[in-house]
Amino acid sequence: MFKLTSTKKGQVSFDFILAMLFLLLIFAFTGQNVLNMAKSFKESETVERGHAILDNFENYAITAYSKDVTINATFKPIGNLNYTIRISNKTINVNSTTNIIFSPDPDNNGVVNISSSNINNSVNSIPPNTVNISFGDFYVSKKLQISIQ
């Protein structure tokens, strides 16, 4: 009949070692995929927050123009992530709580002026009705319904 052979004490079969190496390889690939997915979720959340900031920026500008009022809006960094808002000829660095004042321009119809303590006059190649928010590695851009100076 069948004869059972015993192995020496402490001997591990070659098949067991291969199976463990294969499982280790599978777990390594799975772990790498999970880490990449977590990084992608973080970046997509940052982009979503960037779009929300740009929507608020546009809403403040439209409200200031349509209601003919001056609006003082507060922008804050996203956690510990600073960002830069770029408009046609201005750059606003949001490193801490930053106030931006939106006021309609009485001389130009359809134009809103902005001012801030963190504003820098610069030469950007961005059209006057486009706003861009930069997070360093990437940026989010939006075409506005109103021109900003």
Side-chain angles (χ1 to χ4, degrees):
M1 295 256 287
F2 295 107
K3 182 178 178 185
L4 295 174
T5 59
S6 63
T7 58
K8 295 180 184 177
K9 209 173 201 182
Q11 183 179 356
V12 179
S13 75
F14 184 68
D15 293 338
F16 179 74
I17 292 172
L18 285 177
M20 287 298 117
L21 289 175
F22 181 71
L23 285 175
L24 188 63
L25 184 66
I26 295 297
F27 286 133
F29 281 131
T30 304
Q32 183 66 28
N33 286 337
V34 168
L35 291 176
N36 285 339
M37 187 173 61
K39 182 181 176 190
S40 295
F41 282 151
K42 181 181 175 188
E43 289 174 351
S44 66
E45 181 64 28
T46 303
V47 169
E48 287 299 318
R49 293 291 302 266
H51 280 292
I53 291 168
L54 292 179
D55 288 342
N56 287 338
F57 193 90
E58 180 181 37
N59 289 340
Y60 290 135
I62 289 173
T63 303
Y65 172 72
S66 65
K67 302 291 183 182
D68 196 26
V69 295
T70 299
I71 297 174
N72 185 5
T74 302
F75 290 84
K76 297 179 181 178
I78 304 171
N80 61 355
L81 183 63
N82 302 327
Y83 54 90
T84 303
I85 299 173
R86 289 186 174 89
I87 305 153
S88 61
N89 60 349
K90 294 179 171 91
T91 301
I92 303 169
N93 294 318
V94 181
N95 301 329
S96 60
T97 302
T98 303
N99 292 322
I100 301 174
I101 300 171
F102 296 85
S103 58
D105 189 350
D107 299 331
N108 292 331
N109 190 14
V111 176
V112 173
N113 292 323
I114 63 167
S115 59
S116 174
S117 60
N118 291 351
I119 204 162
N120 298 321
N121 291 327
S122 61
V123 179
N124 294 325
S125 60
I126 301 172
N129 62 339
T130 302
V131 65
N132 176 329
I133 184 169
S134 172
F135 294 100
D137 296 338
F138 59 93
Y139 68 92
V140 180
S141 185
K142 180 174 185 168
K143 186 172 183 177
L144 302 176
Q145 298 295 322
I146 194 163
S147 295
I148 296 180
Q149 286 185 332

mmCIF file of all heavy atoms in Angstrom, residues 67-111:
data_model
loop_
_atom_site.group_PDB
_atom_site.id
_atom_site.type_symbol
_atom_site.label_atom_id
_atom_site.label_comp_id
_atom_site.label_asym_id
_atom_site.label_seq_id
_atom_site.Cartn_x
_atom_site.Cartn_y
_atom_site.Cartn_z
ATOM 1 N N LYS A 67 -23.979 93.048 -8.116
ATOM 2 C CA LYS A 67 -24.619 93.778 -7.014
ATOM 3 C C LYS A 67 -23.990 95.147 -6.779
ATOM 4 O O LYS A 67 -24.457 95.892 -5.925
ATOM 5 C CB LYS A 67 -24.551 92.966 -5.717
ATOM 6 C CG LYS A 67 -25.183 91.599 -5.792
ATOM 7 C CD LYS A 67 -26.679 91.710 -5.913
ATOM 8 C CE LYS A 67 -27.278 90.311 -5.904
ATOM 9 N NZ LYS A 67 -28.700 90.325 -6.060
ATOM 10 N N ASP A 68 -22.892 95.442 -7.501
ATOM 11 C CA ASP A 68 -22.168 96.701 -7.367
ATOM 12 C C ASP A 68 -21.767 96.950 -5.907
ATOM 13 O O ASP A 68 -22.027 97.994 -5.332
ATOM 14 C CB ASP A 68 -23.007 97.864 -7.907
ATOM 15 C CG ASP A 68 -22.149 99.102 -8.153
ATOM 16 O OD1 ASP A 68 -20.930 98.946 -8.397
ATOM 17 O OD2 ASP A 68 -22.689 100.222 -8.082
ATOM 18 N N VAL A 69 -21.134 95.916 -5.322
ATOM 19 C CA VAL A 69 -20.664 95.994 -3.940
ATOM 20 C C VAL A 69 -19.205 95.561 -3.888
ATOM 21 O O VAL A 69 -18.706 94.887 -4.777
ATOM 22 C CB VAL A 69 -21.498 95.100 -2.981
ATOM 23 C CG1 VAL A 69 -22.918 95.577 -2.895
ATOM 24 C CG2 VAL A 69 -21.438 93.649 -3.407
ATOM 25 N N THR A 70 -18.550 95.946 -2.805
ATOM 26 C CA THR A 70 -17.182 95.500 -2.566
ATOM 27 C C THR A 70 -17.232 94.331 -1.604
ATOM 28 O O THR A 70 -17.879 94.409 -0.558
ATOM 29 C CB THR A 70 -16.342 96.644 -1.980
ATOM 30 O OG1 THR A 70 -16.318 97.709 -2.943
ATOM 31 C CG2 THR A 70 -14.923 96.196 -1.690
ATOM 32 N N ILE A 71 -16.547 93.241 -1.948
ATOM 33 C CA ILE A 71 -16.566 92.018 -1.142
ATOM 34 C C ILE A 71 -15.159 91.736 -0.638
ATOM 35 O O ILE A 71 -14.198 91.739 -1.408
ATOM 36 C CB ILE A 71 -17.079 90.820 -1.966
ATOM 37 C CG1 ILE A 71 -18.517 91.067 -2.403
ATOM 38 C CG2 ILE A 71 -16.962 89.528 -1.176
ATOM 39 C CD1 ILE A 71 -19.066 90.011 -3.326
ATOM 40 N N ASN A 72 -15.050 91.484 0.650
ATOM 41 C CA ASN A 72 -13.784 91.092 1.261
ATOM 42 C C ASN A 72 -13.870 89.590 1.530
ATOM 43 O O ASN A 72 -14.595 89.157 2.423
ATOM 44 C CB ASN A 72 -13.542 91.874 2.549
ATOM 45 C CG ASN A 72 -12.190 91.590 3.142
ATOM 46 O OD1 ASN A 72 -11.380 90.873 2.566
ATOM 47 N ND2 ASN A 72 -11.934 92.159 4.301
ATOM 48 N N ALA A 73 -13.141 88.799 0.756
ATOM 49 C CA ALA A 73 -13.181 87.337 0.873
ATOM 50 C C ALA A 73 -11.891 86.832 1.509
ATOM 51 O O ALA A 73 -10.826 87.405 1.312
ATOM 52 C CB ALA A 73 -13.349 86.713 -0.508
ATOM 53 N N THR A 74 -12.014 85.765 2.275
ATOM 54 C CA THR A 74 -10.864 85.167 2.952
ATOM 55 C C THR A 74 -10.543 83.828 2.305
ATOM 56 O O THR A 74 -11.423 82.982 2.160
ATOM 57 C CB THR A 74 -11.166 84.962 4.450
ATOM 58 O OG1 THR A 74 -11.496 86.231 5.016
ATOM 59 C CG2 THR A 74 -9.971 84.387 5.169
ATOM 60 N N PHE A 75 -9.286 83.643 1.936
ATOM 61 C CA PHE A 75 -8.806 82.386 1.378
ATOM 62 C C PHE A 75 -7.733 81.829 2.311
ATOM 63 O O PHE A 75 -6.878 82.571 2.785
ATOM 64 C CB PHE A 75 -8.233 82.595 -0.029
ATOM 65 C CG PHE A 75 -9.283 82.919 -1.051
ATOM 66 C CD1 PHE A 75 -9.723 84.220 -1.226
ATOM 67 C CD2 PHE A 75 -9.842 81.924 -1.823
ATOM 68 C CE1 PHE A 75 -10.693 84.528 -2.155
ATOM 69 C CE2 PHE A 75 -10.819 82.220 -2.757
ATOM 70 C CZ PHE A 75 -11.248 83.528 -2.918
ATOM 71 N N LYS A 76 -7.804 80.528 2.566
ATOM 72 C CA LYS A 76 -6.850 79.876 3.469
ATOM 73 C C LYS A 76 -6.165 78.728 2.741
ATOM 74 O O LYS A 76 -6.728 78.152 1.805
ATOM 75 C CB LYS A 76 -7.575 79.320 4.693
ATOM 76 C CG LYS A 76 -8.229 80.375 5.537
ATOM 77 C CD LYS A 76 -8.945 79.749 6.718
ATOM 78 C CE LYS A 76 -9.625 80.830 7.548
ATOM 79 N NZ LYS A 76 -10.361 80.267 8.673
ATOM 80 N N PRO A 77 -4.951 78.362 3.184
ATOM 81 C CA PRO A 77 -4.306 77.173 2.603
ATOM 82 C C PRO A 77 -5.138 75.922 2.871
ATOM 83 O O PRO A 77 -5.940 75.882 3.798
ATOM 84 C CB PRO A 77 -2.963 77.098 3.322
ATOM 85 C CG PRO A 77 -2.743 78.451 3.904
ATOM 86 C CD PRO A 77 -4.095 79.024 4.168
ATOM 87 N N ILE A 78 -4.928 74.913 2.057
ATOM 88 C CA ILE A 78 -5.612 73.637 2.234
ATOM 89 C C ILE A 78 -4.756 72.793 3.164
ATOM 90 O O ILE A 78 -3.792 72.174 2.732
ATOM 91 C CB ILE A 78 -5.818 72.921 0.889
ATOM 92 C CG1 ILE A 78 -6.578 73.804 -0.076
ATOM 93 C CG2 ILE A 78 -6.519 71.600 1.085
ATOM 94 C CD1 ILE A 78 -6.626 73.270 -1.486
ATOM 95 N N GLY A 79 -5.081 72.793 4.436
ATOM 96 C CA GLY A 79 -4.251 72.103 5.418
ATOM 97 C C GLY A 79 -2.886 72.754 5.465
ATOM 98 O O GLY A 79 -2.763 73.934 5.763
ATOM 99 N N ASN A 80 -1.858 72.006 5.160
ATOM 100 C CA ASN A 80 -0.511 72.584 5.106
ATOM 101 C C ASN A 80 -0.059 72.807 3.656
ATOM 102 O O ASN A 80 1.108 73.040 3.406
ATOM 103 C CB ASN A 80 0.492 71.693 5.837
ATOM 104 C CG ASN A 80 0.593 70.316 5.222
ATOM 105 O OD1 ASN A 80 -0.146 69.982 4.300
ATOM 106 N ND2 ASN A 80 1.491 69.503 5.722
ATOM 107 N N LEU A 81 -0.985 72.761 2.710
ATOM 108 C CA LEU A 81 -0.685 72.928 1.287
ATOM 109 C C LEU A 81 -0.975 74.371 0.861
ATOM 110 O O LEU A 81 -2.131 74.798 0.844
ATOM 111 C CB LEU A 81 -1.507 71.948 0.451
ATOM 112 C CG LEU A 81 -1.270 71.939 -1.043
ATOM 113 C CD1 LEU A 81 0.165 71.529 -1.358
ATOM 114 C CD2 LEU A 81 -2.238 70.996 -1.722
ATOM 115 N N ASN A 82 0.074 75.123 0.556
ATOM 116 C CA ASN A 82 -0.064 76.489 0.070
ATOM 117 C C ASN A 82 -0.334 76.468 -1.428
ATOM 118 O O ASN A 82 0.009 75.509 -2.116
ATOM 119 C CB ASN A 82 1.205 77.286 0.358
ATOM 120 C CG ASN A 82 1.533 77.320 1.826
ATOM 121 O OD1 ASN A 82 0.651 77.323 2.675
ATOM 122 N ND2 ASN A 82 2.817 77.330 2.137
ATOM 123 N N TYR A 83 -0.933 77.537 -1.935
ATOM 124 C CA TYR A 83 -1.201 77.613 -3.364
ATOM 125 C C TYR A 83 -1.057 79.055 -3.836
ATOM 126 O O TYR A 83 -0.981 79.988 -3.037
ATOM 127 C CB TYR A 83 -2.579 77.048 -3.719
ATOM 128 C CG TYR A 83 -3.737 77.652 -2.963
ATOM 129 C CD1 TYR A 83 -4.410 78.755 -3.439
ATOM 130 C CD2 TYR A 83 -4.170 77.088 -1.762
ATOM 131 C CE1 TYR A 83 -5.476 79.305 -2.760
ATOM 132 C CE2 TYR A 83 -5.227 77.620 -1.073
ATOM 133 C CZ TYR A 83 -5.885 78.726 -1.581
ATOM 134 O OH TYR A 83 -6.946 79.259 -0.889
ATOM 135 N N THR A 84 -1.012 79.215 -5.145
ATOM 136 C CA THR A 84 -0.858 80.521 -5.775
ATOM 137 C C THR A 84 -1.983 80.736 -6.764
ATOM 138 O O THR A 84 -2.226 79.875 -7.623
ATOM 139 C CB THR A 84 0.496 80.620 -6.505
ATOM 140 O OG1 THR A 84 1.540 80.354 -5.572
ATOM 141 C CG2 THR A 84 0.702 81.981 -7.116
ATOM 142 N N ILE A 85 -2.675 81.859 -6.650
ATOM 143 C CA ILE A 85 -3.734 82.222 -7.586
ATOM 144 C C ILE A 85 -3.129 83.200 -8.590
ATOM 145 O O ILE A 85 -2.555 84.217 -8.202
ATOM 146 C CB ILE A 85 -4.930 82.865 -6.855
ATOM 147 C CG1 ILE A 85 -5.517 81.882 -5.846
ATOM 148 C CG2 ILE A 85 -5.991 83.301 -7.864
ATOM 149 C CD1 ILE A 85 -6.582 82.485 -4.956
ATOM 150 N N ARG A 86 -3.263 82.888 -9.878
ATOM 151 C CA ARG A 86 -2.726 83.754 -10.934
ATOM 152 C C ARG A 86 -3.868 84.271 -11.796
ATOM 153 O O ARG A 86 -4.726 83.503 -12.229
ATOM 154 C CB ARG A 86 -1.734 82.984 -11.797
ATOM 155 C CG ARG A 86 -0.447 82.674 -11.095
ATOM 156 C CD ARG A 86 0.567 82.041 -12.053
ATOM 157 N NE ARG A 86 1.839 81.873 -11.403
ATOM 158 C CZ ARG A 86 2.187 80.795 -10.710
ATOM 159 N NH1 ARG A 86 1.349 79.794 -10.604
ATOM 160 N NH2 ARG A 86 3.372 80.715 -10.136
ATOM 161 N N ILE A 87 -3.824 85.564 -12.027
ATOM 162 C CA ILE A 87 -4.772 86.227 -12.901
ATOM 163 C C ILE A 87 -3.919 86.958 -13.932
ATOM 164 O O ILE A 87 -2.697 86.969 -13.824
ATOM 165 C CB ILE A 87 -5.663 87.169 -12.090
ATOM 166 C CG1 ILE A 87 -6.304 86.369 -10.965
ATOM 167 C CG2 ILE A 87 -6.769 87.780 -12.916
ATOM 168 C CD1 ILE A 87 -6.650 87.168 -9.782
ATOM 169 N N SER A 88 -4.531 87.612 -14.889
ATOM 170 C CA SER A 88 -3.799 88.179 -16.019
ATOM 171 C C SER A 88 -2.519 88.913 -15.635
ATOM 172 O O SER A 88 -1.471 88.661 -16.191
ATOM 173 C CB SER A 88 -4.712 89.105 -16.815
ATOM 174 O OG SER A 88 -5.137 90.168 -15.987
ATOM 175 N N ASN A 89 -2.572 89.826 -14.693
ATOM 176 C CA ASN A 89 -1.369 90.587 -14.350
ATOM 177 C C ASN A 89 -1.080 90.579 -12.846
ATOM 178 O O ASN A 89 -0.354 91.422 -12.353
ATOM 179 C CB ASN A 89 -1.498 92.030 -14.843
ATOM 180 C CG ASN A 89 -2.681 92.732 -14.223
ATOM 181 O OD1 ASN A 89 -3.518 92.111 -13.587
ATOM 182 N ND2 ASN A 89 -2.765 94.030 -14.430
ATOM 183 N N LYS A 90 -1.644 89.626 -12.120
ATOM 184 C CA LYS A 90 -1.457 89.569 -10.673
ATOM 185 C C LYS A 90 -1.217 88.130 -10.220
ATOM 186 O O LYS A 90 -1.714 87.186 -10.819
ATOM 187 C CB LYS A 90 -2.675 90.128 -9.952
ATOM 188 C CG LYS A 90 -2.890 91.604 -10.180
ATOM 189 C CD LYS A 90 -4.120 92.079 -9.451
ATOM 190 C CE LYS A 90 -4.202 93.569 -9.502
ATOM 191 N NZ LYS A 90 -4.908 94.139 -10.563
ATOM 192 N N THR A 91 -0.454 88.013 -9.154
ATOM 193 C CA THR A 91 -0.218 86.726 -8.517
ATOM 194 C C THR A 91 -0.483 86.891 -7.029
ATOM 195 O O THR A 91 0.039 87.820 -6.411
ATOM 196 C CB THR A 91 1.241 86.276 -8.735
ATOM 197 O OG1 THR A 91 1.487 86.194 -10.136
ATOM 198 C CG2 THR A 91 1.487 84.919 -8.122
ATOM 199 N N ILE A 92 -1.300 86.002 -6.465
ATOM 200 C CA ILE A 92 -1.623 86.046 -5.043
ATOM 201 C C ILE A 92 -1.141 84.756 -4.409
ATOM 202 O O ILE A 92 -1.605 83.669 -4.774
ATOM 203 C CB ILE A 92 -3.139 86.206 -4.820
ATOM 204 C CG1 ILE A 92 -3.656 87.452 -5.529
ATOM 205 C CG2 ILE A 92 -3.448 86.264 -3.327
ATOM 206 C CD1 ILE A 92 -5.160 87.543 -5.586
ATOM 207 N N ASN A 93 -0.203 84.856 -3.476
ATOM 208 C CA ASN A 93 0.302 83.684 -2.758
ATOM 209 C C ASN A 93 -0.530 83.489 -1.505
ATOM 210 O O ASN A 93 -0.621 84.385 -0.670
ATOM 211 C CB ASN A 93 1.769 83.880 -2.379
ATOM 212 C CG ASN A 93 2.650 83.942 -3.606
ATOM 213 O OD1 ASN A 93 2.480 83.175 -4.538
ATOM 214 N ND2 ASN A 93 3.580 84.869 -3.614
ATOM 215 N N VAL A 94 -1.132 82.320 -1.373
ATOM 216 C CA VAL A 94 -1.937 81.999 -0.197
ATOM 217 C C VAL A 94 -1.103 81.058 0.664
ATOM 218 O O VAL A 94 -1.142 79.842 0.508
ATOM 219 C CB VAL A 94 -3.290 81.370 -0.596
ATOM 220 C CG1 VAL A 94 -4.118 81.063 0.636
ATOM 221 C CG2 VAL A 94 -4.049 82.293 -1.540
ATOM 222 N N ASN A 95 -0.304 81.662 1.547
ATOM 223 C CA ASN A 95 0.540 80.911 2.474
ATOM 224 C C ASN A 95 -0.070 80.869 3.872
ATOM 225 O O ASN A 95 0.308 80.055 4.694
ATOM 226 C CB ASN A 95 1.935 81.530 2.563
ATOM 227 C CG ASN A 95 2.609 81.548 1.209
ATOM 228 O OD1 ASN A 95 2.382 80.684 0.384
ATOM 229 N ND2 ASN A 95 3.428 82.543 0.983
ATOM 230 N N SER A 96 -0.947 81.798 4.136
ATOM 231 C CA SER A 96 -1.669 81.880 5.405
ATOM 232 C C SER A 96 -3.032 82.481 5.062
ATOM 233 O O SER A 96 -3.373 82.622 3.888
ATOM 234 C CB SER A 96 -0.893 82.744 6.407
ATOM 235 O OG SER A 96 -0.737 84.048 5.893
ATOM 236 N N THR A 97 -3.796 82.843 6.056
ATOM 237 C CA THR A 97 -5.093 83.460 5.788
ATOM 238 C C THR A 97 -4.883 84.734 4.982
ATOM 239 O O THR A 97 -4.157 85.630 5.396
ATOM 240 C CB THR A 97 -5.818 83.776 7.106
ATOM 241 O OG1 THR A 97 -5.971 82.554 7.834
ATOM 242 C CG2 THR A 97 -7.170 84.385 6.849
ATOM 243 N N THR A 98 -5.497 84.785 3.805
ATOM 244 C CA THR A 98 -5.311 85.892 2.871
ATOM 245 C C THR A 98 -6.659 86.510 2.536
ATOM 246 O O THR A 98 -7.586 85.801 2.142
ATOM 247 C CB THR A 98 -4.638 85.390 1.582
ATOM 248 O OG1 THR A 98 -3.404 84.767 1.920
ATOM 249 C CG2 THR A 98 -4.379 86.516 0.615
ATOM 250 N N ASN A 99 -6.762 87.814 2.698
ATOM 251 C CA ASN A 99 -7.980 88.539 2.331
ATOM 252 C C ASN A 99 -7.820 89.104 0.937
ATOM 253 O O ASN A 99 -6.805 89.734 0.628
ATOM 254 C CB ASN A 99 -8.260 89.667 3.322
ATOM 255 C CG ASN A 99 -8.634 89.127 4.684
ATOM 256 O OD1 ASN A 99 -9.326 88.134 4.792
ATOM 257 N ND2 ASN A 99 -8.158 89.781 5.722
ATOM 258 N N ILE A 100 -8.838 88.898 0.116
ATOM 259 C CA ILE A 100 -8.870 89.435 -1.242
ATOM 260 C C ILE A 100 -10.117 90.293 -1.360
ATOM 261 O O ILE A 100 -11.211 89.848 -1.009
ATOM 262 C CB ILE A 100 -8.871 88.313 -2.301
ATOM 263 C CG1 ILE A 100 -7.625 87.436 -2.147
ATOM 264 C CG2 ILE A 100 -8.946 88.903 -3.711
ATOM 265 C CD1 ILE A 100 -7.614 86.222 -3.057
ATOM 266 N N ILE A 101 -9.943 91.502 -1.836
ATOM 267 C CA ILE A 101 -11.057 92.438 -1.971
ATOM 268 C C ILE A 101 -11.465 92.496 -3.443
ATOM 269 O O ILE A 101 -10.651 92.798 -4.317
ATOM 270 C CB ILE A 101 -10.669 93.834 -1.454
ATOM 271 C CG1 ILE A 101 -10.291 93.736 0.022
ATOM 272 C CG2 ILE A 101 -11.802 94.825 -1.678
ATOM 273 C CD1 ILE A 101 -9.679 94.996 0.588
ATOM 274 N N PHE A 102 -12.726 92.193 -3.696
ATOM 275 C CA PHE A 102 -13.306 92.259 -5.037
ATOM 276 C C PHE A 102 -14.161 93.521 -5.102
ATOM 277 O O PHE A 102 -15.088 93.692 -4.307
ATOM 278 C CB PHE A 102 -14.197 91.042 -5.305
ATOM 279 C CG PHE A 102 -13.469 89.735 -5.309
ATOM 280 C CD1 PHE A 102 -13.222 89.049 -4.130
ATOM 281 C CD2 PHE A 102 -13.036 89.178 -6.493
ATOM 282 C CE1 PHE A 102 -12.560 87.839 -4.129
ATOM 283 C CE2 PHE A 102 -12.363 87.971 -6.503
ATOM 284 C CZ PHE A 102 -12.130 87.305 -5.327
ATOM 285 N N SER A 103 -13.852 94.413 -6.038
ATOM 286 C CA SER A 103 -14.640 95.636 -6.180
ATOM 287 C C SER A 103 -14.892 95.897 -7.658
ATOM 288 O O SER A 103 -13.995 95.747 -8.487
ATOM 289 C CB SER A 103 -13.929 96.821 -5.532
ATOM 290 O OG SER A 103 -12.656 96.996 -6.101
ATOM 291 N N PRO A 104 -16.115 96.303 -7.999
ATOM 292 C CA PRO A 104 -16.410 96.590 -9.406
ATOM 293 C C PRO A 104 -15.677 97.848 -9.863
ATOM 294 O O PRO A 104 -15.467 98.775 -9.081
ATOM 295 C CB PRO A 104 -17.930 96.796 -9.418
ATOM 296 C CG PRO A 104 -18.300 97.097 -8.013
ATOM 297 C CD PRO A 104 -17.267 96.475 -7.132
ATOM 298 N N ASP A 105 -15.252 97.846 -11.097
ATOM 299 C CA ASP A 105 -14.542 99.001 -11.667
ATOM 300 C C ASP A 105 -15.576 99.928 -12.306
ATOM 301 O O ASP A 105 -16.221 99.548 -13.282
ATOM 302 C CB ASP A 105 -13.531 98.519 -12.708
ATOM 303 C CG ASP A 105 -12.609 99.616 -13.186
ATOM 304 O OD1 ASP A 105 -12.867 100.793 -12.867
ATOM 305 O OD2 ASP A 105 -11.627 99.300 -13.868
ATOM 306 N N PRO A 106 -15.733 101.138 -11.752
ATOM 307 C CA PRO A 106 -16.767 102.032 -12.305
ATOM 308 C C PRO A 106 -16.430 102.538 -13.707
ATOM 309 O O PRO A 106 -17.318 102.917 -14.456
ATOM 310 C CB PRO A 106 -16.812 103.190 -11.300
ATOM 311 C CG PRO A 106 -15.497 103.162 -10.599
ATOM 312 C CD PRO A 106 -15.025 101.742 -10.634
ATOM 313 N N ASP A 107 -15.155 102.515 -14.084
ATOM 314 C CA ASP A 107 -14.754 103.023 -15.399
ATOM 315 C C ASP A 107 -14.900 101.988 -16.507
ATOM 316 O O ASP A 107 -15.107 102.332 -17.659
ATOM 317 C CB ASP A 107 -13.303 103.507 -15.357
ATOM 318 C CG ASP A 107 -13.113 104.646 -14.369
ATOM 319 O OD1 ASP A 107 -14.080 105.402 -14.148
ATOM 320 O OD2 ASP A 107 -12.011 104.755 -13.806
ATOM 321 N N ASN A 108 -14.768 100.709 -16.159
ATOM 322 C CA ASN A 108 -14.853 99.629 -17.151
ATOM 323 C C ASN A 108 -16.069 98.766 -16.861
ATOM 324 O O ASN A 108 -16.218 98.225 -15.779
ATOM 325 C CB ASN A 108 -13.604 98.744 -17.107
ATOM 326 C CG ASN A 108 -12.368 99.466 -17.570
ATOM 327 O OD1 ASN A 108 -12.443 100.372 -18.384
ATOM 328 N ND2 ASN A 108 -11.234 99.072 -17.039
ATOM 329 N N ASN A 109 -16.924 98.640 -17.851
ATOM 330 C CA ASN A 109 -18.114 97.810 -17.694
ATOM 331 C C ASN A 109 -17.718 96.335 -17.807
ATOM 332 O O ASN A 109 -17.052 95.941 -18.741
ATOM 333 C CB ASN A 109 -19.146 98.165 -18.769
ATOM 334 C CG ASN A 109 -20.481 97.517 -18.491
ATOM 335 O OD1 ASN A 109 -20.728 97.016 -17.398
ATOM 336 N ND2 ASN A 109 -21.347 97.537 -19.481
ATOM 337 N N GLY A 110 -18.109 95.517 -16.843
ATOM 338 C CA GLY A 110 -17.824 94.089 -16.877
ATOM 339 C C GLY A 110 -16.468 93.709 -16.323
ATOM 340 O O GLY A 110 -16.004 92.605 -16.560
ATOM 341 N N VAL A 111 -15.829 94.623 -15.575
ATOM 342 C CA VAL A 111 -14.508 94.341 -15.028
ATOM 343 C C VAL A 111 -14.559 94.496 -13.511
ATOM 344 O O VAL A 111 -15.184 95.412 -12.990
ATOM 345 C CB VAL A 111 -13.441 95.298 -15.623
ATOM 346 C CG1 VAL A 111 -12.088 95.075 -14.976
ATOM 347 C CG2 VAL A 111 -13.339 95.091 -17.127
#
